Amino acid sequence: MGLFGGWVSTYSMDKNFVSNDVIQLFPSEESFDALASIIGCMDYGIAMARTDGKFVIWNRKAYQILGKRQADVGHENWAAHYGFYNPDTKCIIATEDVPLVKAIKGKHVDKQEILVINENMKDRIIVCDADPIIHDGNIMGGVTVFRDITKERQIELKMKDVLNKL
């Protein structure tokens, strides 16, 4: 059974979400545990989804950054559910502008900034990279890696303010 075929249930390990189909790709429980530990301790949020919007992987850093866990709301609702806004206009971003949606539609994303506003945390600015997952010429899904750059942006604004005052 392939990575994106026949989804039966989910596997949750220490607040990381990983589909059973991903688990089945590993020759042993030990090799899966090693990969889950690597994904879990990364300082980046990682989310992988199939083309239908079902999440395959969602690490604990993704939860910490976005303030919400993976949810089966469909990719057309990700922007509203997670509170994805354009940092310049403060308007909710269109579905087709969500990095993971771009990836599952076959597009590469490099350093796209998003303002995240939701009821579970203070506003944050994140930067995202995303890529489609392609097998035998077919798009099977997408993956996005993102990090919180809020503090960096705050420091940048303070430095600009100081320079303007000089």
Side-chain angles (χ1 to χ4, degrees):
M1 182 178 308
L3 173 60
F4 293 97
W7 292 69
V8 234
S9 63
T10 61
Y11 178 85
S12 182
M13 180 177 161
D14 194 23
K15 300 181 184 172
N16 290 314
F17 167 82
V18 181
S19 160
N20 273 340
D21 283 342
V22 172
I23 295 167
Q24 294 172 14
L25 295 174
F26 293 88
S28 69
E29 189 175 331
E30 292 82 12
S31 63
F32 168 75
D33 288 345
L35 179 65
S37 293
I38 292 167
I39 290 171
C41 72
M42 293 182 80
D43 200 27
Y44 291 87
I46 300 171
M48 182 186 293
R50 301 184 315 180
T51 55
D52 64 2
K54 300 260 186 214
F55 287 103
V56 180
I57 292 175
W58 185 275
N59 73 346
R60 85 182 123 228
K61 194 65 173 185
Y63 166 69
Q64 291 169 357
I65 292 171
L66 299 179
K68 293 187 175 191
R69 300 200 184 285
Q70 78 284 350
D72 187 16
V73 297
H75 67 274
E76 62 279 351
N77 296 310
W78 286 344
H81 179 75
Y82 295 104
F84 294 156
Y85 290 80
N86 180 305
D88 298 324
T89 65
K90 309 283 192 286
C91 294
I92 197 149
I93 64 174
T95 297
E96 61 271 7
D97 291 330
V98 174
L100 189 52
V101 172
K102 289 179 182 179
I104 64 177
K105 302 287 183 184
K107 297 178 182 172
H108 169 78
V109 176
D110 188 38
K111 294 179 180 53
Q112 179 180 342
E113 291 187 11
I114 295 176
L115 174 62
V116 181
I117 303 171
N118 65 50
E119 68 280 3
N120 295 337
M121 56 175 212
K122 292 182 178 182
D123 299 358
R124 295 185 180 187
I125 298 175
I126 62 172
V127 63
C128 309
D129 292 320
D131 273 315
I133 299 169
I134 300 172
H135 179 70
D136 287 336
N138 297 314
I139 300 170
M140 307 303 289
V143 62
T144 186
V145 176
F146 51 94
R147 66 184 180 92
D148 184 350
I149 61 166
T150 306
K151 288 180 184 174
E152 290 140 353
R153 286 295 173 259
Q154 290 169 341
I155 291 168
E156 184 180 301
L157 289 173
K158 286 179 185 177
M159 289 175 62
K160 284 181 181 178
D161 187 45
V162 168
L163 288 173
N164 286 336
K165 288 179 181 176
L166 291 175

